[in-house]
Amino acid sequence: MRFMLLFSRQGKLRLQKWYLATSDKERKKMVRELMQVVLARKPKMCSFLEWRDLKVVYKRYASLYFCCAIEGQDNELITLELIHRYVELLDKYFGSVCELDIIFNFEKAYFILDEFLMGGDVQDTSKKSVLKAIEQADLLQEVR
Amino acid sequence: MSATTVVPQLVQILRTLVTTGYSTEHSISGVSDPFLQVQILRLLRILGRNHEESSETMNDLLAQVATNTDTSRNAGNAVLFETVLTVMDIRSAPGLRVLAVNILGRFLLNNDKNIRYVALTSLLRMVQSDHSAVQRHRPTVVECLRDPDASLSRRALELSLALVNSSNVRAMTQELQSFLESCPPDLRADCASGILLAAERFAPTKRWHIDTILRVLTTAGTYVRDDAVANLTQLIGGAQELHAYSVRRLYSALAEDISQQPLVQVAAWCIGEYGDLLLEGSCEETEPLQVEEEEVLALLEKVLQSHMSLPATRGYALTALMKLSTRLRGDSSRIRQVVSIFGSCLDVELQQRAVEYNTLFRKYDHMRAAILEKMPLVERGGPQVDGEAEESKETQLSETALVSTEPQASKLLDLLDLLDGTSGDAQPPPLLDPSPGGTLIHLLDLPCAPPPPPSIPDLRVFEREGLQLSLSFVRPPGTPALLLITVTATNTSGADVTHFICQAAVPKSFQLQLQAPSGDTVPAQDGLPVTQLLRILNPNKAPLRLKLRLTYNHFGQSVQEIFEVNNLPVETWQ
């Protein structure tokens, strides 16, 4: 995977994770372009599209778009599963997650993503162990 | 130890995973650990790519995974898809490949759009290697053409075009044409050119081919590529027996609609060439069409006057009218009238043509029939497929033939006129320039063209550490006060020259205009030079002085140089 983006229907970027080093200017440009393309898609259209030389897999959950850019030889269907697994992890952690949870606890969202994916590939396929690792990290953190 | 020795272990792991290793926390909707399965399959794909032995070890396992995976949910489909990709890439047994294609075929029938999309993409990749297997799923692919989702129909279009072969060309073209009528605009160009290409490769008969192109032109005329017109005219020209048929079809199509430019151009050309066939009797292949001369002329005039016609189309129509003057039996006064009206047209191209044709009527009426004869067949892929070049060759031939019989000319005036005409013709052009009919200029251009300008030698003005600047001069013959200088910067050193800017200054009486340079980097080791054009107007014919200022980065240093150009040749300003 090259990168993963989360953005709202209004075009606000909530989360971005880049697995390939790109300059800030380049990133902003890509984000802008991709948001335009994805937001223009109609609801019944298929979840895959071709953009530049990458394949983009996106899925809409309530008001959030989860967007992954994968390379030519990657499997699109498993990426859909990956997105779903991430949403499930968030859901389990936050308890019925909504966009506000991600907005206010974005660092937790990043932690969970980093626990689940590494370098763009799935690191741990077990939901339980990912959540356990996050719980342990939380214990170490000071609770205000 | 090479990586491929790991293959048996991987096979074992995957086998246990698929058959027995089910754990709730790792699995998704009944499929045990799809992420891991997909990763293993991917690794197997890479390992088995060009390796016979590993591929053989994998065969059974892949067949097992393919048949045992539950496909009711996306996770299972994901694993199945990865299996198919792996089978496609390794040296698999043919039975396994057929299984893979069948799985993709099943995907195509799935209601889920994502799965269909994925199936179409993979089938496109497979179509080269397993053509016959993919052909079996052709009906389903054609179904997907009608899907309202744009990305799906695009994929289906590409795949359909790849599946066209000589046996199914008629049916497929039918489908593709109905798709063309209803498809979104961005796909139209691809569809149109795809149909034309397929028709070219697999056309069963010439008549079918002409029909197909005609249909494409009427449906999506504005989206076809530019050479479609040329191809069609060449095709019609070659099909002797179909001249009457094609001219009738084109005439009826034109009568209905004059907005599609390629169609109008071809129709105008055809009517011009084969107008006599249009008017005489009936043709068995189309329904009887009684066409009057007046109607044909009226139609061509309508094309000429319509605001929808491009200048090129008008050119075609004018030439067609001219050709009809010899083909039609009636008198050509109406044609003469139209042609003379266009003698004062604002468009230079049309005006030129009209003036020439007028002259043809007035002075060279005896040559008109010979000049406007039917064209010989155009060479395909020759330097100029445009029929106008052929026409000009014909006119040259008739012209030289006339010159040899010249001594019999009674009037001195005529002799002088013709001599002028031939000397005008001896000038370099019959150049094959792209604008149709442009070559006729020089044939009937009675005043002599001025001799080509003497060339001024280039001047090397600057040299420093491998960067050289040279000037080349052109004095265009039409404007005596104008001097065009092309500044060329070349770099023979080992480092690139970057941020190269060249500025120029001239005395007050001159006017200087600098055009944008071709770039600002001159690559090292004789890379592509940077050129810049300077236009200098010298109305007083004063001696030219030129000062140049260069700024650039070379070998990590920024350099600025100001110098005056000495030794400017006298021809640059006299």
Side-chain angles (χ1 to χ4, degrees):
Chain A
M1 203 194 306
R2 288 273 179 94
F3 58 87
M4 183 185 222
L5 303 174
L6 258 75
F7 50 88
S8 68
R9 282 271 325 148
Q10 282 73 39
K12 283 229 147 70
L13 191 64
R14 299 289 175 214
L15 201 144
Q16 53 176 322
K17 185 79 189 179
W18 296 79
Y19 292 108
L20 188 71
T22 24
S23 68
D24 220 20
K25 201 169 72 165
E26 198 46 46
R27 283 186 194 183
K28 285 206 173 64
K29 196 162 102 172
M30 289 168 97
V31 167
R32 226 185 7 242
E33 256 185 66
L34 197 52
M35 278 211 278
Q36 244 181 344
V37 175
V38 172
L39 288 173
R41 302 273 287 184
K42 298 201 258 304
K44 289 288 186 192
M45 295 177 101
C46 80
S47 293
F48 314 128
L49 54 96
E50 250 133 71
W51 177 76
R52 297 200 185 180
D53 58 331
L54 300 169
K55 296 194 270 197
V56 173
V57 180
Y58 73 94
K59 197 143 186 229
R60 187 179 159 189
Y61 288 89
S63 60
L64 266 184
Y65 280 92
F66 285 70
C67 218
C68 286
I70 55 177
E71 288 167 2
Q73 65 271 35
D74 290 336
N75 186 338
E76 295 101 321
L77 297 173
I78 207 76
T79 316
L80 274 178
E81 288 300 320
L82 193 147
I83 294 176
H84 193 71
R85 175 56 77 83
Y86 181 52
V87 173
E88 279 179 357
L89 288 169
L90 287 174
D91 194 46
K92 208 61 187 294
Y93 180 76
F94 287 112
S96 202
V97 68
C98 63
E99 192 179 342
L100 281 174
D101 288 323
I102 302 186
I103 297 174
F104 286 116
N105 301 300
F106 62 89
E107 80 276 10
K108 291 279 164 57
Y110 275 111
F111 290 158
I112 297 177
L113 186 61
D114 287 338
E115 212 37 68
F116 176 47
L117 294 176
M118 175 177 277
D121 294 314
V122 176
Q123 206 195 140
D124 201 329
T125 54
S126 158
K127 233 185 337 186
K128 231 193 249 179
S129 63
V130 173
L131 289 168
K132 199 151 166 223
I134 297 287
E135 268 169 51
Q136 286 184 337
D138 276 351
L139 284 175
L140 292 172
Q141 217 181 12
E142 272 180 325
V143 180
R144 271 178 232 251
Chain B
M1 179 179 125
S2 100
T4 48
T5 55
V6 146
V7 172
Q9 283 176 293
L10 288 172
V11 168
Q12 189 54 35
I13 295 173
L14 189 52
R15 186 168 281 139
T16 26
L17 191 58
V18 170
T19 47
T20 55
Y22 184 87
S23 88
T24 25
E25 64 182 64
H26 292 274
S27 56
I28 298 181
S29 52
V31 181
S32 38
D33 210 339
F35 293 120
L36 181 58
Q37 286 197 41
V38 164
Q39 291 288 46
I40 296 181
L41 284 166
R42 210 158 140 201
L43 183 55
L44 285 176
R45 181 156 96 230
I46 298 171
L47 291 175
R49 187 159 276 156
N50 275 320
H51 205 253
E52 279 291 344
E53 210 187 295
S54 319
S55 311
E56 258 173 273
T57 344
M58 290 182 228
N59 270 329
D60 287 335
L61 173 66
L62 291 172
Q64 189 181 12
V65 173
T67 39
N68 285 348
T69 318
D70 171 30
T71 55
S72 53
R73 305 299 293 272
N74 188 43
N77 284 327
V79 173
L80 215 52
F81 180 51
E82 195 67 34
T83 322
V84 168
L85 287 178
T86 307
V87 167
M88 271 162 49
D89 259 349
I90 63 171
R91 302 267 180 90
S92 48
L96 205 54
R97 293 186 89 91
V98 172
L99 180 62
V101 175
N102 287 341
I103 292 178
L104 289 177
R106 243 179 30 228
F107 274 4
L108 273 181
L109 296 166
N110 199 314
N111 285 328
D112 191 351
K113 281 205 203 307
N114 296 334
I115 298 190
R116 277 208 211 166
Y117 180 87
V118 147
L120 284 172
T121 320
S122 325
L123 279 174
L124 191 60
R125 277 167 56 183
M126 279 189 98
V127 87
Q128 313 298 2
S129 44
D130 297 273
H131 195 90
S132 44
V134 182
Q135 277 284 354
R136 241 177 286 136
H137 299 282
R138 193 171 57 82
T140 339
V141 173
V142 169
E143 268 292 319
C144 291
L145 263 181
R146 302 201 200 104
D147 201 294
D149 186 340
S151 26
L152 223 58
S153 44
R154 178 187 291 273
R155 284 267 167 269
L157 175 65
E158 283 173 19
L159 190 54
S160 315
L161 287 173
L163 282 178
V164 177
N165 64 20
S166 37
S167 49
N168 59 25
V169 67
R170 282 186 200 253
M172 287 299 277
T173 329
Q174 192 68 20
E175 291 288 338
L176 287 168
Q177 275 173 338
S178 43
F179 175 63
L180 186 63
E181 278 156 28
S182 56
C183 76
D186 42 340
L187 287 178
R188 283 228 176 132
D190 289 323
C191 191
S193 39
I195 296 178
L196 292 178
L197 204 66
E200 218 173 278
R201 281 169 64 190
F202 300 114
T205 57
K206 279 210 171 141
R207 185 175 148 184
W208 180 89
H209 194 177
I210 292 178
D211 276 342
T212 315
I213 302 187
L214 199 58
R215 197 168 156 193
V216 171
L217 283 181
T218 34
T219 339
T222 35
Y223 296 95
V224 295
R225 271 198 342 248
D226 301 326
D227 59 352
V229 174
N231 284 343
L232 184 56
T233 49
Q234 202 257 351
L235 186 66
I236 294 179
Q240 187 91 22
E241 64 284 7
L242 292 168
H243 284 169
Y245 171 73
S246 15
V247 74
R248 268 158 208 288
R249 287 288 312 270
L250 283 166
Y251 179 76
S252 354
L254 189 62
E256 275 175 37
D257 172 25
I258 59 168
S259 62
Q260 309 250 32
Q261 296 304 302
L263 178 66
V264 175
Q265 287 173 5
V266 175
W269 181 87
C270 246
I271 293 175
E273 276 293 297
Y274 311 119
D276 45 344
L277 291 174
L278 178 62
L279 294 166
E280 81 190 17
S282 57
C283 165
E284 331 77 55
E285 297 177 58
T286 58
E287 64 266 12
L289 184 66
Q290 203 46 31
V291 183
E292 299 296 322
E293 287 179 13
E294 296 300 311
E295 288 173 9
V296 179
L297 294 178
L299 187 59
L300 283 174
E301 279 166 32
K302 193 166 144 201
V303 170
L304 270 174
Q305 281 150 15
S306 162
H307 60 276
M308 293 186 281
S309 304
L310 293 174
T313 318
R314 290 213 174 95
Y316 271 94
L318 196 59
T319 313
L321 265 180
M322 204 48 208
K323 289 187 208 168
L324 282 178
S325 69
T326 46
R327 313 257 198 273
L328 298 183
R329 276 178 293 261
D331 86 85
S332 41
S333 58
R334 185 169 171 180
I335 300 181
R336 279 190 76 156
Q337 213 177 6
V338 174
V339 168
S340 56
I341 291 176
F342 275 87
S344 46
C345 172
L346 285 175
D347 186 319
V348 180
E349 166 75 30
L350 284 177
Q351 188 183 48
Q352 213 156 27
R353 288 191 191 213
V355 166
E356 286 158 11
Y357 294 150
N358 245 338
T359 327
L360 207 52
F361 270 122
R362 274 187 294 118
K363 282 195 188 168
Y364 300 98
D365 211 29
H366 48 279
M367 292 206 297
R368 191 158 52 93
I371 292 180
L372 297 171
E373 252 177 26
K374 289 226 173 99
M375 287 200 256
L377 185 57
V378 178
E379 289 290 319
R380 219 291 153 90
Q384 183 65 354
V385 190
D386 181 9
E388 308 299 325
E390 293 292 296
E391 202 177 354
S392 73
K393 281 204 203 114
E394 270 203 8
T395 45
Q396 276 175 46
L397 285 175
S398 49
E399 168 82 306
T400 47
L402 232 51
V403 167
S404 61
T405 61
E406 216 354 61
Q408 280 93 28
S410 43
K411 292 189 195 133
L412 204 55
L413 205 54
D414 268 353
L415 178 60
L416 284 175
D417 276 348
L418 273 166
L419 274 178
D420 273 354
T422 44
S423 70
D425 189 33
Q427 290 305 313
L431 278 182
L432 303 175
D433 57 312
S435 65
T439 49
L440 279 176
I441 301 174
H442 306 280
L443 176 61
L444 296 174
D445 195 2
L446 297 179
C448 252
S455 55
I456 309 171
D458 288 353
L459 193 61
R460 164 87 64 84
V461 297
F462 175 76
E463 150 83 65
R464 181 178 158 162
E465 295 175 330
L467 176 69
Q468 293 149 4
L469 210 72
S470 65
L471 305 178
S472 56
F473 307 95
V474 176
R475 293 287 297 275
T479 38
L482 182 65
L483 169 68
L484 299 171
I485 303 182
T486 309
V487 179
T488 311
T490 43
N491 184 2
T492 51
S493 71
D496 291 346
V497 166
T498 53
H499 302 96
F500 179 80
I501 299 175
C502 169
Q503 291 160 320
V506 289
K508 283 227 172 63
S509 61
F510 293 77
Q511 283 173 39
L512 170 67
Q513 207 180 25
L514 269 138
Q515 296 193 345
S518 65
D520 69 345
T521 306
V522 191
Q525 317 281 16
D526 281 316
L528 192 69
V530 166
T531 55
Q532 189 164 14
L533 188 66
L534 275 70
R535 291 170 66 96
I536 298 183
L537 261 175
N538 182 6
N540 305 328
K541 294 223 186 265
L544 175 65
R545 293 174 58 191
L546 185 65
K547 215 166 188 177
L548 289 176
R549 177 168 175 258
L550 307 174
T551 51
Y552 57 90
N553 291 347
H554 198 195
F555 293 113
Q557 299 173 315
S558 66
V559 179
Q560 194 190 135
E561 289 272 352
I562 305 179
F563 56 89
E564 178 154 353
V565 179
N566 305 315
N567 316 322
L568 278 168
V570 180
E571 298 93 335
T572 53
W573 50 271
Q574 256 180 1

